[in-house]
Every structure is written in C-alpha cells, then in structure tokens.
Amino acid sequence: MSKTFLITGGAGFIGSAVVRELIANTDHKVVNVDKLTYAGNLESLAEVADSPRYTFIHADICDAPAMQQAFDEHQPDVVMHLAAESHVDRSIDGPAEFIQTNVVGTSVLLEAARGYWLALKESDPAKAAGFRFHHISTDEVYGDLGEEKPLTSEALTPHSSPASAAKPLFTETTPYAPSSPYSASKAGSDHLVRAWQRTFGLPTLITNCSNNYGPYHFPEKLIPLMILNALAGKPLPVYGDGQQIRDWLYVDDHARALIKVATQGEVGETYNIGGHNEKTNLEVVETICALVDELRPASSSFQLPASSLITFVQDRPGHDLRYAIDAGKIERELGWVPEETFETGLRKTVEWYLANESWWQRVLDGSYQGERLGADA
Ligand SMILES: NC(=O)c1ccc[n+]([C@@H]2O[C@H](COP(=O)([O-])OP(=O)(O)OC[C@H]3O[C@@H](n4cnc5c(N)ncnc54)[C@H](O)[C@@H]3O)[C@@H](O)[C@H]2O)c1
C-alpha cells in the first residue's frame, strides 16, 4: 500500500539517495523537508523533481510551526529524520550549529511528530498504529574502538571478515562514548528519540550506520575530495599517518537498509548498519589513486600516478582511530545485506564523478547555491 514518507534532509547526500530510491522503486509518496544549508543540493534530486509523488518543503526543522504545518498538511505514515549538520571538521570549528540542528532540531521534530500522532490516535487509530518515526544516526556515537580486544562469537556475522574475528565491533548495546562535537550532538539526539519512545510511547526506530560513500557526495568529505583532487592533479591531504580505520558502506545500500527498517523494523529497536569494509584512510586513498589512474581520460592534463599527490597533514584533534560495525542484527532480523563490495562501490563512485562533472563543478564554484537562493528570493 502506498504510504507518505516525510523525509528531513532529503537534499543531502544520504537523504537524496533515499528519496531517489523511494520514487524510483516504490509507490510511496515523499515529502522532503530541507533547510538547504551548504550541504543541501536540489540538483541531486533532478531525476525526481517532476514526479507527482514528490513534494519539497523549504523549512528548518527547528521551526516548530513549520514542522507542525508539514505534518498537518501531508499526514505522513513514516518520518525518516536525516537532517543534520554532518561534517566532523566543521563541528570542531563551530559546534553551536550542530547542537542547534542535531539536538534542538530533533526535539522540535519529535514534539511535532508526537502532537500529530496523538491527534491521529483519536481521528484514525489504524493509521496511528502504523505510524513510525525513524531517526538516522551514526556509528560515531560509540566512540573509538582503538584498542583491539577479542570479539565474542555472537557478535560475529556470516559476513565478518577473518580480520574482524580478532577485533571488537560496535553492536547495538555498545555504550555511547562520542568524541567530537558532531558525534556528541548525534548521541544527544539518539537519547532524545529513545526517551520519546519510552516516556511517550512514540513509535520510534533508530539506525546507526558506518561511513557512507557514493554519487552526489559533497566534495569536502574524504572520498569525493580525493577523487576530485586526483583528477585535478592537486595534493591529496591525508590526516596523520592515514592509519585511522573506517567501515565503508555504499550509499544506495544504506538507503535500501533504511527503507527496510522504516517499513519492517520493530518499534523501539536500534539497528546497526555497516558494509563489512574496514579500511585505513591510506588504503582508501591508494585505491582511489589506482582507479583514477585507470579510468581518467587520456586527454586529462595530469597524467602522473595519482599516488604521487599523497601528502600527510597534521591530524584532526580527538581523531578516533577505528570504527567498525557489527551489522548482524539487521541481516538476521530484516534480511538486509549490502549489494556492493568496497571495490565495486568505489569503482562506481569514481565512474560517477567522471561522468557527472557538471554536478560537482557547480558545487565547487558555488553556483548550486546561488541559483537556489535566487529562486527563493
Ligand atoms: N555521511 C555519512 O557517512 C553518515 C553515516 C552515518 C550516519 N549519517 C547521518 O545521516 C544523516 C544524513 O547524512 P548526510 O551525509 O546525508 O548529511 P548531509 O550533510 O549531506 O545532508 C544534511 C541535509 O540536512 C539538511 N539540513 C541541515 N540542517 C537542517 C535544518 N536545521 N533543517 C532542515 N534541514 C537541514 C541540509 O540542507 C542537507 O540537505 C545525518 O543525520 C548523519 O548524521 C551520515
């Protein structure tokens, strides 16, 4: 049956992948609520913009009357809350915006959802019973896995690599220990969502996912930055010694997992989502260099091996050494597994950036924002 999904942050990297997936591969309607910060880009939604099942609302999740109006007008069955400030380096330079959007904004959205759901219980009990509030969060709330300790057998999944058999992974019961203002603000929002479920009975679900990569990724993040710098012959800045380990997931695999959780997950539960792809940052950069060397056009002005551009720079303060997810619960209970390996996903990503220069050129020169602001004025 066709449902209405209210997606916050649908013009961002992961949110736009969820919106594209819902419009392309389901019958559901999508209402996208986005403030269009620097990270929001409506050009990532060009392929769904004309769909009669897609509506865009330009609004801030901290604006309570606007959120109430969005619920009243569109009567959603499912909320998927992705709007956030999401870049760790920016949270170190200016934490206030992170607390405002990620913590205050989430509380405003929870209150709007609760008011709507309580009214729905009176007017349409069946619809209220099916209502879901899905909060999208990060594995960074669990902090740093740095120290390697033996892993218990029940934390291993059929997809665990031999390497992870000897190392700990984040499970849904790992205690929270966030390190950066970003991860602390996300941890705060997760606690609020759990409290609204426990105290008010709001039917919530939470997912905590590892690092995403893929098409339409804003070029301040590691993978797109390295692809674009390698293509342009610019230095490839690697923090510290590049030995920080992250667990990478292709963004469309994450979008499919999120839709599964929102529609089939158990109320009150948390699901970890990860790609079983633990790589050091240096390994990621070296793999990108090899792909760029192989795939860049012969006409490209820079033709030296891209790895000659790798430059080690001073590490980020408080930089966590290792994150790694045990995704066994979502695999066992909801039957989700990633379709892409790191190798196939990264190849698709480099190919996408090569084929979509107009998208990223407009991000780099700022024109994606200029036109948008013009349209709003
Ligand atoms: N990118 C990752 O690797 C990753 C991994 C795990 C979890 N997450 C989480 O997934 C969510 C989406 O991440 P992303 O990488 O797509 O982020 P993003 O920064 O690319 O997009 C965030 C979107 O939220 C919008 N937004 C920001 N503040 C807003 C506000 N106050 N009101 C309305 N809209 C606002 C922005 O305009 C943008 O469209 C975040 O909650 C993030 O914490 C991200």
Side-chain angles (χ1 to χ4, degrees):
M1 198 185 72
S2 172
K3 294 183 176 188
T4 299
F5 282 63
L6 190 153
I7 313 263
T8 71
F13 169 48
I14 301 171
S16 68
V18 173
V19 173
R20 290 190 303 268
E21 175 73 19
L22 281 168
I23 295 296
N25 294 324
T26 76
D27 294 334
H28 301 311
K29 294 190 187 112
V30 173
V31 179
N32 173 17
V33 174
D34 200 295
K35 181 182 173 183
L36 298 179
T37 67
Y38 79 94
N41 187 348
L42 291 179
E43 293 175 20
S44 306
L45 294 164
E47 67 192 62
V48 305
D50 294 332
S51 167
R53 291 186 286 119
Y54 172 75
T55 307
F56 175 63
I57 300 176
H58 187 191
D60 185 336
I61 56 164
C62 300
D63 180 344
M67 291 307 103
Q68 198 184 327
Q69 193 183 343
F71 277 94
D72 289 347
E73 260 179 39
H74 295 281
Q75 302 281 306
D77 301 284
V78 179
V79 176
M80 293 176 79
H81 174 35
L82 295 104
E85 289 293 336
S86 71
H87 190 43
V88 175
D89 287 343
R90 285 178 189 255
S91 82
I92 296 168
D93 293 341
E97 200 61 37
F98 285 70
I99 294 159
Q100 181 64 19
T101 285
N102 299 0
V103 182
V104 177
T106 299
S107 77
V108 169
L109 196 68
L110 281 166
E111 276 299 81
R114 185 165 76 95
Y116 163 73
W117 173 69
L118 285 174
L120 207 54
K121 278 173 121 175
E122 302 296 320
S123 62
D124 189 344
K127 184 162 168 137
F131 178 73
R132 298 288 180 269
F133 184 106
H134 176 190
H135 176 62
I136 284 78
S137 191
T138 165
D139 62 353
E140 299 194 27
V141 298
Y142 299 124
D144 192 356
L145 277 172
E147 289 284 304
E148 294 180 7
K149 300 188 199 93
L151 186 68
T152 56
S153 59
E154 58 270 22
L156 290 172
T157 76
H159 296 272
S160 299
S161 66
S164 52
K167 296 175 184 171
L169 301 171
F170 296 131
T171 72
E172 287 79 1
T173 55
T174 300
Y176 277 28
S179 304
S180 71
Y182 164 65
S183 53
S185 67
K186 290 298 291 188
S189 66
D190 293 11
H191 291 318
L192 290 175
V193 172
R194 286 201 180 89
W196 259 246
Q197 201 272 321
R198 173 92 192 224
T199 304
F200 303 116
L202 190 71
T204 66
L205 302 123
I206 298 178
T207 47
N208 296 86
C209 186
S210 58
N211 278 31
N212 283 218
Y213 68 98
Y216 301 102
H217 205 181
F218 196 82
E220 67 183 347
K221 303 280 174 100
L222 178 76
I223 288 182
L225 179 76
M226 295 298 159
I227 295 171
L228 299 190
N229 280 14
L231 287 172
K234 289 186 184 163
L236 306 179
V238 174
Y239 278 133
D241 58 5
Q243 293 308 306
Q244 307 86 354
I245 296 171
R246 300 291 179 264
D247 179 359
W248 292 94
L249 180 66
Y250 191 65
V251 67
D252 291 344
D253 277 325
H254 188 196
R256 288 185 279 267
L258 292 177
I259 294 166
K260 231 177 206 290
V261 170
T263 53
Q264 298 169 34
E266 192 82 27
V267 166
E269 290 295 316
T270 295
Y271 299 88
N272 281 352
I273 307 173
H276 313 291
N277 289 308
E278 281 185 52
K279 307 280 176 202
T280 67
N281 284 349
L282 190 57
E283 280 176 298
V284 170
V285 175
E286 284 169 344
T287 311
I288 290 170
C289 287
L291 283 167
V292 168
D293 287 346
E294 179 194 330
L295 298 170
R296 89 176 130 217
S299 58
S300 169
S301 57
F302 182 79
Q303 291 292 344
L304 282 174
S307 58
S308 64
L309 299 166
I310 293 175
T311 312
F312 294 94
V313 298
Q314 190 179 6
D315 208 352
R316 165 195 284 167
H319 208 167
D320 290 335
L321 184 61
R322 176 170 172 256
Y323 305 134
I325 277 278
D326 173 5
K329 178 173 170 178
I330 186 172
E331 291 171 4
R332 280 190 309 275
E333 297 186 9
L334 301 181
W336 171 86
V337 282
E339 291 177 12
E340 302 293 342
T341 64
F342 188 66
E343 288 65 29
T344 61
L346 199 57
R347 179 172 287 272
K348 278 189 180 179
T349 305
V350 174
E351 286 170 347
W352 187 88
Y353 279 88
L354 281 167
N356 288 277
E357 184 170 346
S358 59
W359 182 89
W360 54 261
Q361 281 293 5
R362 289 172 58 73
V363 175
L364 292 184
D365 68 22
S367 51
Y368 79 108
Q369 274 190 311
E371 275 196 10
R372 182 186 70 203
L373 293 175
D376 289 342

